[in-house]
């Protein structure tokens, strides 16, 4: 029997097998057949192939020949399966060598090995439902052949760490190139061009990696592997965050101040920096230019991220909605596979990396409103709120029926007048850097939760109104910080300042801030000697703002 098997004499092997089986030695026939043919086949496969394709081609030819011989020698399917297991076990060392080499190159190369192995398994009949050796028990459960485990074991170990390895590779490659792009003073266009190019490279790298990764990685590992790679998105966002930090340092404010970009009364220790100057200041112009560049990069990052995450979610949903293949089960270390996968809805959800688009929008608004902070800060300590009416040389009070706006109010109004041209200049910078991008005001409005303008406003006027309402709101808060009560002259001065600021804002068609409108109504009623605002808080239910105004307007010389 041994000689017949070694010489591939099917007729003699079958005859010897029948004779031994008739004497109760059928098990010996199968054992000897597997031992002899495995020894010959393994020797033919060991250490002779420099590439994975050559090894698999030779192995497939060998398996085809051995199957033909086994069938002619009347060997069972179990014998054929054992023989293939021996060949696969012998191939494992060679496959490991090729996988290690591919892993050093990246996911695309690993996918090349994976595709070759998948093709081999299909051609060798190891990943089909047709082989009776694969079906056990109920029809909907399949056993994963041991040969598949042998063949895919090197790839399984690689796949488990592939996501992290690819994230590290992107970190040192395309992300490193993005970090190396530096902003030069007054060169927003060059910076946007170079940084946008490198940003495209980063996401091209991420997309290509994910495309290969989600083919190779089985469903149970896919979400984690994808999130490992998507860390690169957060790292790319970190480049924008670093740019914003540099901008803040050069323009004289703290990054933490951006969270209150529309709260112009928040205390800032030093208002001498470029951020608080008019746009005519060269350093302020450079700061706005830099913020515009960062806004463009943030928009690009956001668009890329949305596309990549949507693709990953689609791939995961598709992966989980189909029966698991035997190859995927082997890569996952399973011995059996079901037609359905019991996964929770949360397994389909990818955690979206946090990106810095909001901070970029806040930086633009912060810089546009920066020049208002100095006059607003001076309001509580102004002497105009407690001034007494002028007296004649005879000691008689001189009547004063109207007041001109105070110096601080005039400065606020003047800055309101130049805000639209400054905003237009920033929008023009943005359009010049990236003509095809969404307009700057659209980007800002999408990311500023404080936008509560009229839906009929154009986006440009809506952004202008955003800053104007911020000024009005800050004015009210600063007025509420004035020591109460105001003098009669102070009440008239407050009315004059409020009306002046309201008229300037109205000239741009901006709806007033609600608190500012309440202030305006209150001072006008008071100066007209209306009684409702003067009633005691114990008798009238007042808002917190109305209580503050009540304290201010009930003055000693009413």
């Amino acid at each position: 029997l041994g000689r017949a098997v070694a010489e591939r004499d099917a007729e003699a092997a079958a005859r010897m097998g029948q004779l031994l089986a008739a004497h109760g030695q059928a098990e010996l026939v199968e054992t000897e057949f597997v031992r002899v043919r495995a020894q010959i086949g393994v020797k033919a496969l060991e250490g002779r192939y420099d590439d994975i394709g050559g090894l698999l081609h030779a192995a497939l030819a060998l398996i085809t020949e051995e199957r033909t011989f086994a069938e002619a020698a009347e060997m069972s399917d179990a014998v054929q399966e054992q023989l293939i297991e021996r060949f696969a076990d012998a191939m494992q060392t060679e496959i490991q060598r090729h996988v290690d080499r591919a892993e050093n190159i990246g996911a695309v190369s690993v996918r090349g090995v994976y595709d070759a192995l998948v093709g081999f398994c299909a051609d060798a009949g190891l990943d089909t439902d047709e082989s009776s050796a694969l079906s056990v028990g109920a029809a909907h459960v399949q056993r994963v052949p041991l040969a598949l485990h042998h063949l895919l074991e090197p790839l399984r170990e690689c796949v488990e760490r592939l996501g992290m390895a690819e994230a590290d590779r992107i970190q040192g490659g395309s992300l490193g190139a993005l970090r190396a792009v530096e902003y030069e003073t007054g060169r927003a266009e060059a910076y946007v061009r170079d940084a946008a190019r490198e940003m495209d490279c980063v996401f091209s790298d991420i997309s290509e990696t994910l495309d290969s990764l989600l083919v190779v990685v089985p469903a149970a590992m896919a979400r984690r592997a994808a999130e490992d790679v998507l860390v690169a998105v957060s790292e790319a966002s970190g480049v924008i965050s670093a740019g914003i930090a540099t901008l803040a340092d050069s323009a004289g404010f703290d990054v933490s101040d951006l969270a209150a970009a529309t709260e112009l009364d928040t205390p800032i220790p030093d208002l001498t920096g470029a951020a608080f100057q008019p746009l005519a200041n060269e350093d302020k112009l450079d700061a706005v230019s830099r913020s515009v560049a960062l806004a463009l990069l943030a928009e690009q990052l956001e668009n890329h991220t949305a596309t990549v995450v949507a693709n990953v979610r689609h791939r995961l949903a598709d992966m989980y909605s189909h029966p698991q293949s035997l190859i995927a089960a082997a890569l996952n270390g399973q011995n059996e596979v079901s037609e359905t996968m019991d996964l929770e809805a949360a397994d389909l959800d990818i955690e979206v990396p946090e990106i810095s688009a909001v901070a970029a929008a806040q930086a633009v608004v912060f810089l546009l409103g920066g020049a208002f902070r100095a006059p607003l800060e001076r309001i509580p300590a102004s002497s105009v709120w407690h001034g007494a009416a002028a007296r004649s040389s005879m000691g008689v009070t001189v009547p004063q029926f109207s007041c001109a706006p105070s110096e601080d109010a005039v400065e606020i109004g003047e800055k309101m007048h130049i805000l639209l041209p400054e905003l237009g200049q920033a929008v023009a910078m943005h359009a010049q850097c990236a003509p095809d991008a969404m307009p700057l005001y659209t980007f800002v409005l999408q990311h500023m939760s404080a936008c509560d303008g009229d839906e009929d406003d154009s986006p440009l006027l809506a952004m202008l109104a955003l800053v104007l309402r911020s000024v009005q709101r800050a004015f009210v808060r600063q007025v509420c910080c004035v020591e109460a009560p105001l003098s009669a002259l102070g009440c008239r001065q407050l009315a004059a300042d409020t009306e002046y600021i309201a008229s300037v804002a109205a000239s741009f068609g901006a709806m007033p801030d609600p608190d500012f409108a309440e202030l305006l109504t209150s001072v006008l009623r008071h100066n007209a000697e209306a009684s409702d605002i003067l009633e005691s808080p114990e008798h009238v239910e007042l808002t917190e703002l109305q209580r503050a105004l009540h304290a201010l307007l009930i003055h000693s010389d009413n």
Side-chain angles (χ1 to χ4, degrees):
L1 175 64
R3 285 195 302 272
V5 171
E7 295 170 0
R8 285 191 176 173
D9 186 341
E11 184 178 345
R15 188 169 62 252
M16 293 300 101
Q18 291 168 358
L19 177 61
L20 288 169
H23 290 78
Q25 299 295 323
E27 184 178 344
L28 176 62
V29 175
E30 294 186 347
T31 301
E32 184 68 7
F33 186 93
V34 171
R35 183 188 69 80
V36 173
R37 293 314 307 168
Q39 187 177 42
I40 294 171
V42 166
K43 187 176 181 180
L45 292 174
E46 286 181 339
R48 299 188 179 186
Y49 304 96
D50 293 330
D51 64 276
I52 189 75
L55 171 66
L56 298 180
H57 179 76
L60 183 61
L62 176 64
I63 289 173
T64 301
E65 292 174 357
E66 295 300 337
R67 274 186 171 151
T68 301
F69 176 45
E71 289 171 358
E74 300 178 1
M75 294 294 112
S76 66
D77 290 342
V79 169
Q80 297 180 41
E81 187 175 357
Q82 290 177 46
L83 194 57
I84 294 173
E85 287 173 6
R86 296 285 188 88
F87 294 157
D89 188 37
M91 294 166 65
Q92 186 172 335
T93 302
E94 288 295 308
I95 293 172
Q96 182 71 63
R97 183 167 61 85
H98 292 296
V99 168
D100 290 343
R101 185 166 59 191
E103 185 180 9
N104 290 333
I105 300 173
V108 175
S109 296
V110 171
R111 180 180 175 179
V113 176
Y114 170 85
D115 288 341
L117 287 172
V118 169
F120 170 79
C121 293
D123 293 340
L126 297 176
D127 189 27
T128 67
D129 298 334
E130 299 172 1
S131 174
S132 59
L134 304 185
S135 298
V136 292
H140 64 282
V141 176
Q142 290 180 289
R143 176 173 59 83
V144 180
L146 185 58
L148 273 183
H149 283 291
H150 288 321
L151 291 170
L152 297 172
E153 179 64 23
L155 200 60
R156 185 170 73 87
E157 295 177 358
C158 163
V159 162
E160 287 179 349
R161 57 179 181 265
L162 191 56
M164 289 296 296
E166 284 300 282
D168 290 342
R169 183 186 62 78
I170 295 172
Q171 284 267 8
S174 52
L175 264 173
L178 175 61
R179 291 192 187 99
V181 180
E182 295 183 355
Y183 178 87
E184 297 180 13
T185 301
R187 296 293 303 277
E189 290 179 56
Y191 174 76
V192 169
R193 182 189 64 240
D194 296 342
R197 182 184 63 245
E198 298 303 336
M199 184 80 76
D200 286 340
C201 290
V202 168
F203 277 89
S204 176
D205 204 354
I206 291 173
S207 297
E208 186 175 303
T209 296
L210 287 172
D211 283 344
S212 295
L213 195 69
L214 294 178
V215 168
V216 176
V217 176
M221 303 180 191
R223 178 185 173 187
R224 187 188 66 190
E227 288 181 344
D228 286 342
V229 174
L230 288 176
V231 168
V233 176
S234 297
E235 294 295 331
S237 182
V239 172
I240 297 174
S241 298
I244 292 173
T246 303
L247 165 65
D249 185 60
S250 64
F253 64 93
D254 193 271
V255 172
S256 61
D257 295 330
L258 294 180
T262 57
E263 306 303 319
L264 301 181
D265 58 316
T266 52
I268 295 178
D270 183 8
L271 295 178
T272 61
F276 312 107
Q277 308 304 315
L279 199 55
N281 179 283
E282 186 175 339
D283 291 335
K284 174 65 171 282
L285 186 64
D286 183 65
V288 172
S289 175
R290 188 190 292 257
S291 72
V292 164
L294 292 171
L296 278 166
L297 286 184
E299 179 195 342
Q300 181 187 16
L301 172 67
E302 199 171 42
N303 291 338
H304 276 312
T305 301
T307 301
V308 166
V309 171
N311 181 50
V312 170
R313 284 177 172 157
H314 174 75
R315 295 283 293 275
L316 287 178
D318 185 63
M319 188 181 293
Y320 293 154
S321 65
H322 288 81
Q324 191 180 24
S325 68
L326 294 177
I327 285 179
L331 281 173
N332 203 36
Q334 299 171 223
N335 293 321
E336 293 182 348
V337 59
S338 300
E339 290 181 0
T340 59
M341 298 186 67
D342 186 17
L343 292 167
E344 298 180 3
D347 294 321
L348 292 173
D349 193 25
I350 280 287
E351 183 177 348
V352 180
E354 185 175 344
I355 57 179
S356 49
V358 171
Q362 288 173 336
V364 174
V365 174
F366 184 91
L367 290 171
L368 287 171
F372 291 97
R373 290 181 180 268
L376 286 168
E377 189 178 81
R378 295 193 296 266
I379 288 173
S382 176
S383 61
V384 300
W385 311 123
H386 304 99
R391 291 179 177 271
S392 69
S393 58
M394 301 290 292
V396 179
T397 301
V398 178
Q400 187 173 1
F401 301 102
S402 64
C403 290
S406 66
E407 291 183 5
D408 292 332
V410 170
E411 185 175 345
I412 291 171
E414 289 174 346
K415 293 183 184 303
M416 282 182 163
H417 279 297
I418 64 173
L419 181 61
L420 183 57
E422 289 184 344
L423 175 56
Q425 193 170 351
V427 170
M429 289 180 192
H430 185 276
Q432 190 172 4
C433 289
D436 296 331
M438 73 166 66
L440 177 64
Y441 42 78
T442 304
F443 172 80
V444 168
L445 292 173
Q446 283 184 356
H447 295 89
M448 296 296 291
S449 59
C451 294
D452 54 358
D454 192 326
E455 294 182 356
D456 295 332
D457 286 348
S458 72
L460 179 61
L461 291 179
M463 184 172 171
L464 177 69
L466 170 67
V467 180
L468 293 178
R469 278 193 293 273
S470 300
V471 173
Q472 292 175 332
R473 188 163 53 250
F475 178 79
V476 174
R477 291 176 181 172
Q478 293 297 73
V479 165
C480 289
C481 293
V482 174
E483 183 181 355
L486 304 186
S487 66
L489 183 61
C491 288
R492 287 195 292 271
Q493 187 62 62
L494 179 57
D497 288 359
T498 307
E499 284 188 283
Y500 172 69
I501 292 173
S503 65
V504 175
S507 68
F508 295 105
M511 295 292 292
D513 175 78
D515 286 352
F516 185 82
E518 177 69 32
L519 170 62
L520 181 59
T521 300
S522 297
V523 295
L524 291 180
R525 282 177 178 174
H526 170 69
N527 289 342
E529 297 184 350
S531 61
D532 53 344
I533 192 62
L534 301 180
E535 293 186 24
S536 170
E538 287 76 18
H539 300 93
V540 179
E541 185 177 350
L542 302 177
T543 65
E544 183 178 349
L545 174 60
Q546 287 172 331
R547 288 179 182 276
L549 296 178
H550 177 274
L552 283 172
L553 300 176
I554 300 297
H555 50 80
S556 57
D557 55 348
N558 181 34

